[in-house]
Amino acid sequence: MGTRAERVARCRRCSVTQVFGPSANTVSRLTLLGAAVALVGLSGIGLVAVRSSYATGQGLAVDQPVPFSHKHHVGDDGIDCRYCHTSVEHSSFAGLPPTQTCMNCHSQIWSQSPVLEPVRQSFQSGQPMEWNRVHVLGDFVYFDHSIHVQKGIGCTTCHGQVDQMPLTWKAESLQMSWCLECHRNPERYVRPREEVFSMDWRPPPNQQDLGLQLVRQYQIESKTSCSTCHR
């Protein structure tokens, strides 16, 4: 029978065996493995989600009070970006045109079109049109259009082929990793200043050599410090 202490020890081992069967170790290992796999899977789903068009708005046209078509105005009529975005060369903000700019043409062309009724009301009332922003950066991000234009970064590099957009959408994600790709390797994206507003410019076969030349000529530095954009 053994001593009382031995009998108590055997009883405890029997109780543990009854609660945790022979497969308990296997089950616990599989549970821990499953939890680890689930954690990795959820992390992967999260990384994909924050880069999806649902999160970034990339490729999704934004509703506007008037269905303004860059394809028609820029692609068909050849209107220069600066006719509407007048401050893009001198200010951090590219600028939105006042209603008077629209009416310079539309007081004569399509002057009775129902689609342009909000434009006519805005002009008559003096109340500006309330356009919905397509390219929205966080309040913690500082961006200056003028310095990019002066350094030879073209409109299409960031905004895409707007001359082919019947409605305007965000062509790039505008996420930090996308910005840093250009900041680290500006020679891949810089173009001659006279081509900044061109919709037809394409990087030439010798873009690497041309880019390095323009980087030196325009005194472009590789700006990757946090304070460059987060001030």
Side-chain angles (χ1 to χ4, degrees):
M1 293 293 293
T3 65
R4 182 174 181 279
E6 290 173 342
R7 291 197 302 272
V8 170
R10 283 197 298 270
C11 183
R12 286 177 177 173
R13 285 197 296 271
C14 291
S15 299
V16 171
T17 303
Q18 291 173 359
V19 176
F20 299 102
S23 62
N25 287 339
T26 301
V27 171
S28 63
R29 291 190 183 99
L30 291 175
T31 300
L32 291 173
L33 178 61
V37 170
L39 182 60
V40 172
L42 289 173
S43 299
I45 292 173
L47 289 173
V48 171
V50 298
R51 288 168 170 77
S52 68
S53 59
Y54 177 80
T56 65
Q58 184 178 359
L60 303 177
V62 177
D63 289 334
Q64 301 292 353
V66 172
F68 180 86
S69 172
H70 278 87
K71 182 180 186 299
H72 172 67
H73 290 81
V74 179
D76 299 340
D77 294 344
I79 296 177
D80 188 277
C81 304
R82 292 163 288 187
Y83 182 75
C84 296
H85 304 291
T86 56
S87 59
V88 68
E89 295 179 286
H90 314 291
S91 171
S92 61
F93 183 52
L96 288 173
T99 308
Q100 175 62 58
T101 301
C102 305
M103 293 300 290
N104 288 343
C105 294
H106 289 298
S107 61
Q108 305 295 323
I109 305 171
W110 303 104
S111 59
Q112 301 302 317
S113 170
V115 174
L116 297 178
E117 180 59 26
V119 177
R120 292 191 292 271
Q121 289 182 359
S122 170
F123 181 67
Q124 292 166 5
S125 67
Q127 295 296 317
M129 296 281 294
E130 295 186 8
W131 300 98
N132 296 314
R133 295 196 66 171
V134 176
H135 299 83
V136 181
L137 295 176
D139 293 339
F140 52 86
V141 179
Y142 174 79
F143 179 85
D144 189 322
H145 272 91
S146 63
I147 190 63
H148 288 80
V149 169
Q150 293 168 17
K151 297 297 184 179
I153 300 301
C155 300
T156 58
T157 300
C158 300
H159 297 295
Q161 294 293 149
V162 294
D163 59 322
Q164 299 174 15
M165 296 182 185
L167 294 175
T168 309
W169 58 79
K170 187 193 296 184
E172 303 292 347
S173 70
L174 303 189
Q175 292 185 318
M176 187 171 71
S177 58
W178 175 79
C179 297
L180 284 173
E181 172 61 25
C182 183
H183 276 230
R184 288 170 176 152
N185 306 286
E187 68 279 359
R188 298 180 184 176
Y189 305 96
V190 66
R191 65 177 74 177
R193 285 180 178 141
E194 60 271 19
E195 300 289 351
V196 164
F197 299 100
S198 171
M199 295 289 112
D200 300 322
W201 190 87
R202 298 291 183 273
N206 67 332
Q207 172 62 31
Q208 183 70 16
D209 296 333
L210 173 64
L212 290 173
Q213 175 188 334
L214 293 176
V215 164
R216 291 191 296 270
Q217 181 179 340
Y218 297 160
Q219 299 180 346
I220 299 174
E221 300 177 11
S222 179
K223 294 283 189 178
T224 57
S225 170
C226 299
S227 60
T228 300
C229 302
H230 305 293
R231 302 183 178 183

